[in-house]
Every structure is written in structure tokens, then in C-alpha cells.
Amino acid sequence: MFGAGYVGLVTGAALADLGHEVVIRDVLPERIERLRAGDVPIYEPGLDEVLERNKERLRFTLDVNEAVDGAEFLYVAVGTPQTHSGDADLTAVWAVVDELPEGASGRPIVVMKSTVPVGTGERVRERLDARGLTAVGYVSNPEFLAEGSALADFMSPDRVVVGAFEPEDGDRVVELHRGIDTEIVRTDVASAELVKLAANAFLSTRISFINEIANVCELVGADVVDVARGVGLDHRLGPHFLRAGLGFGGSCFPKDVTALKQLAGNSGYPFLLLQAVWEVNELQKRRVIGKLQKHLGTLRGTTVALLGLAFKPNTDDMREAPSRVIAYRLLAEGAEVRAWDPVAHPDDLHGVELCETVLDAVQNADAAVIVTDWPELRSLASSEVRQAMARPVIVDGRNLLDPEAAHAAGFVYEGVGRPRHASPAEPGFLREHDAELRH
Ligand code: UGA
């Protein structure tokens, strides 16, 4: 397994759990040392137990030869970040391909887990052939692991996609998944590559769609939670990824939407729908500012508590987290920004004061914004929090709270696409009643 990052560690641990011998190789000495010492460098529920329970079958190394020696499968699970042009940066993928030693016995198969542009498999094949590694197979086997539920996603997937140049190579990769009961989708390499990008782009499209419906709900007085339920019960549409919020983040959706848009554009096709998906998502993060201004007036000199920083709950991942955009927009508006998150403690949110507890964050704050739907925040609309805040404004960016209950507890509550009656405040209400509401 090349890459001891998120995908490599989860996939490696899960394969070991299926009974396979796994050697995980990374180029970062510190990472390998930590893993050897039993210290898991990422936050993923259950991963430490699976690594521990399979430690006899798992090795960690910096040495490419140790990783390749006797290996039947050469998994590539390295990062493919976005470049300035929006294309995927394949530097780490090429580094792995180029350092595969010659003269391997048998027919090892390169299994591509990293998310790569369509056509990458073809290029890897050419590069292997040019080095005389014609006996090395190649299979595209994209991952569909969501952070926070990655192990379960691996063990009980909706499907396993296997795209091979040679059917026998595909058969062997399918065989490796013995013990997992699921639908196997056999394709050519290009189609497997595109399944991954299309799946993430479609899920992102659903989110941007429901966010736009939420924005319409706010104008016409409908409730997006009910609308999503009514829509999602149609079996042709399904209930998933219809939660309106502050927009999607993470290391996958923003990158893959851009990558597919870019890939289509590079091929001469302008993917207009994805352009809109991306733009809606950017605007959605920024709508929080308008909602705060509606209740507080100018934000200059106010204190705003951001509750939750990670791009979603059950992870400490801050990559492309909406909290970043919201924090810097607030700072630019002249607000003082405090933040709390149970696991994400970023050291690069300059100008934001990180707090130990929710109560510390909301103390004397003019507003609290729920940015990540951490379960801990379900009880936010308490009298303790109400007492602590200078002004009792909650902008619930994840529709985590019951609007009626928040209102009954004395808060001015603003969700995403929730009806007006949930809040006692007409626009400007708080400004007019400022003195009364301040402690
Ligand atoms: C996503 C996909 O769900 C995985 O299938 C895929 O394998 C992975 O990307 C990847 O390409 O590696 P992940 O980024 O971990 O997984 O997170 P999701 O749970 O999909 O959430 C992504 C973002 O969408 C989060 O910011 C979340 O808050 C947001 N979201 C999700 C919504 O705003 N509304 C929803 O209804 C669902």
C-alpha cells in the first residue's frame, strides 16, 4: 500500500482485517515511526482498533523494496491535490510508478485507489511498458470511503468498481474482496475512473440543489427540511445528500467537482452544471454573513462564536472546511471570531481565538453560528448559553436545532431554509431591541 494517508490506512487496515498481509509504505519518516509505535496519525472512528487487532498482518515501512518484495498487489493511495489550474496534481502517483523496481516475480497488479483524471490508467500503462514492466498489471478500483464511516464503507460498500485492461487482473482484484457481500461493477479503466468523479460530482450537485431550494424556502416561507423529506421519499430520488446547510467541504467534493469540470473543459466540453454547483457552494458559505448582519447590523466590533470547525462531524479534517471561509469573511467584516471544535484544533486560522468549551466560545458573544453538526451542539439552546451570550442569536448552519424549541428558550434563531415563524425576530428586530436583549 503506497500512502499511509487517509485512504491508504483505512484500506490497508480493512484488507488486513479480511486476512491479507499488508505492507504500508510512506515517504514521511515521522508518520511511519508513529504508526510503528501504534499511534494513529488520523482521526477515524474504529481505525485504531482494526490496526491493533491486525498488527501481526500489518507492517509499516519507508523502503519501497520492502513494500514491493513478494507483493501481489501494489495499491496506490497517495494524494492527488488540485493544482492552480484545477487539474489533479499527479506528482505522487508518478513517483510511485517510477520507483517500482524492475524484475518482480509473478504478475503484481497496480491497483489505483487515488482519485485520478480519466486517462491516467492509460498513461500509467504506457509508462510501465516503456520501462519494460509489461508483466505488471493495472486496475482502477476507486474508493468510496466517507470520513467518519470509512471502515464500514469499505466492509459494506454499495458496490466495488473494478476497471481493468486485462480481465484476469480484474478477476484477481475482485477475488481480493472475498468476504465482502456487494455488487461488483466491472468496467474498462476509463469508465472506472469516471465513476468516481461522477459519483462525487453528483452528490455535490444534490447538495447545491437542496441549498438553492433552501434559499428559495427562505424567500417564500417554506421549510426545506419538510421539502427534502417529501422529495426524498420518491424512490427515484432517494433521501440522501438532501441536507441543506453551509455548503460542502472536505478533501473530495470541492476537488472532484473542479477536477471533472476541468477534465471536461480540457476535452473541449464546458460542464456548465458543475460550474453552477461550485458557485452555489461558494455563495452558500457566505450567506451566513448576511444572516448575521440581518440581526446584528454591522458586524464591526461584534463577537461571533463559530461552533464546529471540521468540514463535517466525526473528523478533525479541516480541508476546504466552510468554517475557513466564514471565519475570514467575519474577520474581514471587523468581527472578533472565537471558535470551538471537539477535535479539530487548527493552528492556521490566524486571528481566530480557539476555545476549550462551547461556553467559553459563546461567553459575551453577539451570535453563535453552528458550522459543523456535532451532536454535542444539539443542546445549544440552553438557558446557560442564553445567559452567557451578550445577544441570543443562533445561526444554525446545519439545521441541527429545533427552531420552535430554540425560540421558546429565548433565542433568535435562523436556520437554513427554515420558516420565519421559527424566529421571533423580524429583520432589524434585534437592532431595535438591542438594549433590552443585552445583559
Ligand atoms: C465523500 C463521499 O461521500 C465518499 O463517497 C467519497 O469516497 C469521498 O468523498 C472521497 O472522494 O474520498 P467525505 O468527503 O468524507 O466523502 O464526506 P461526505 O460525508 O460525503 O460530506 C461531504 C460534505 O458534504 C460535508 O461538508 C458535508 O457536511 C456536506 N453535506 C453532505 C451536506 O452539506 N449535505 C448533505 O446532505 C450531505
Side-chain angles (χ1 to χ4, degrees):
M1 180 69 63
F2 288 86
Y6 192 82
V7 174
L9 276 181
V10 170
T11 309
L15 286 171
D17 218 31
L18 286 176
H20 305 295
E21 297 282 329
V22 181
V23 184
I24 299 185
R25 191 269 181 153
D26 204 289
V27 291
L28 299 173
E30 193 206 297
R31 180 158 281 230
I32 292 300
E33 273 158 35
R34 280 181 68 175
L35 285 162
R36 280 182 180 151
D39 180 12
V40 185
I42 57 167
Y43 179 84
E44 177 62 31
L47 181 59
D48 39 5
E49 287 120 76
V50 179
L51 288 171
E52 174 62 26
R53 141 165 116 230
N54 292 288
K55 62 176 185 241
E56 302 301 318
R57 278 193 286 269
L58 275 162
R59 269 181 295 144
F60 302 98
T61 185
L62 289 164
D63 180 1
V64 61
N65 291 306
E66 187 185 343
V68 170
D69 188 29
E72 293 162 82
F73 300 93
L74 306 164
Y75 271 79
V76 182
V78 294
T80 52
Q82 194 176 308
T83 63
H84 290 294
S85 62
D87 295 275
D89 180 352
L90 297 180
T91 310
V93 170
W94 294 127
V96 172
V97 171
D98 289 344
E99 69 183 348
L100 292 179
E102 283 149 37
S105 56
R107 184 177 171 81
I109 299 172
V110 171
V111 184
M112 186 58 72
K113 274 281 167 203
S114 300
T115 301
V116 292
V118 180
T120 303
E122 196 81 48
R123 288 171 64 201
V124 173
R125 182 70 271 159
E126 282 167 14
R127 203 130 150 183
L128 290 170
D129 291 347
R131 288 183 55 211
L133 295 170
T134 47
V136 174
Y138 184 94
V139 167
S140 168
N141 173 220
E143 57 90 10
F144 303 102
L145 311 174
E147 292 187 20
S149 60
L151 285 162
D153 291 343
F154 189 96
M155 289 302 186
S156 319
D158 292 339
R159 76 302 206 188
V160 168
V161 176
V162 174
F165 292 115
E166 303 296 335
E168 301 75 28
D169 293 343
D171 294 346
R172 281 178 55 202
V173 172
V174 170
E175 182 59 24
L176 200 59
H177 292 79
R178 191 204 285 258
I180 294 177
D181 181 22
T182 191
E183 194 92 27
I184 305 283
V185 182
R186 295 290 295 264
T187 68
D188 56 39
V189 171
S191 303
E193 291 167 340
L194 192 51
V195 167
K196 167 70 190 198
L197 291 175
N200 273 0
F202 194 34
L203 290 168
S204 306
T205 303
R206 283 177 70 103
I207 298 171
S208 278
F209 180 82
I210 202 67
N211 282 338
E212 289 217 281
I213 292 290
N215 299 342
V216 173
C217 282
E218 287 175 9
L219 295 172
V220 300
D223 186 341
V224 73
V225 173
D226 292 340
V227 175
R229 187 169 140 74
V231 168
L233 282 169
D234 185 324
H235 75 278
R236 295 167 303 176
L237 299 172
H240 304 290
F241 282 70
L242 287 179
R243 270 180 293 114
L246 298 175
F248 56 79
S251 64
C252 307
F253 285 0
K255 174 171 82 84
D256 291 349
V257 166
T258 308
L260 182 50
K261 188 160 65 69
Q262 186 66 25
L263 178 81
N266 293 347
S267 315
Y269 182 75
F271 207 139
L272 297 179
L273 188 55
L274 288 184
Q275 184 75 40
V277 167
W278 186 84
E279 217 159 293
V280 167
N281 198 51
E282 286 308 306
L283 293 173
Q284 198 68 15
K285 301 175 209 170
R286 289 158 169 83
R287 282 174 69 86
V288 170
I289 309 302
K291 288 182 175 174
L292 289 169
Q293 284 165 335
K294 175 172 136 189
H295 293 296
L296 302 178
T298 175
L299 300 182
R300 186 158 298 281
T302 61
T303 299
V304 178
L306 296 185
L307 304 178
L309 288 171
F311 82 97
K312 66 174 195 177
N314 283 326
T315 174
D316 62 351
D317 200 334
M318 285 290 297
R319 284 177 289 178
E320 300 292 325
S323 61
R324 290 187 181 279
V325 171
I326 297 166
Y328 283 104
R329 279 295 304 119
L330 287 170
L331 289 171
E333 291 295 326
E336 205 178 290
V337 183
R338 300 212 204 105
W340 167 88
D341 191 285
V343 291
H345 303 126
D347 55 11
D348 60 350
L349 274 186
H350 305 295
V352 175
E353 184 193 338
L354 297 186
C355 299
E356 292 275 317
T357 66
V358 172
L359 265 187
D360 288 347
V362 300
Q363 195 67 43
N364 286 322
D366 296 287
V369 181
I370 298 180
V371 183
T372 313
D373 31 357
W374 284 106
E376 291 91 323
L377 294 172
R378 280 188 195 283
S379 55
L380 184 69
S382 66
S383 57
E384 215 181 358
V385 170
R386 167 79 183 76
Q387 295 299 321
M389 293 180 75
R391 289 194 269 187
V393 177
I394 295 178
V395 173
D396 181 356
R398 297 292 173 188
N399 288 339
L400 192 65
L401 307 187
D402 176 347
E404 301 268 10
H407 168 42
F411 288 91
V412 171
Y413 176 87
E414 183 93 39
V416 178
R418 309 302 313 269
R420 182 72 60 79
H421 71 254
S423 160
E426 291 302 316
F429 172 88
L430 261 190
R431 266 170 281 160
E432 286 155 33
H433 297 80
D434 213 31
E436 280 166 45
L437 287 162
R438 274 190 180 277
H439 291 272

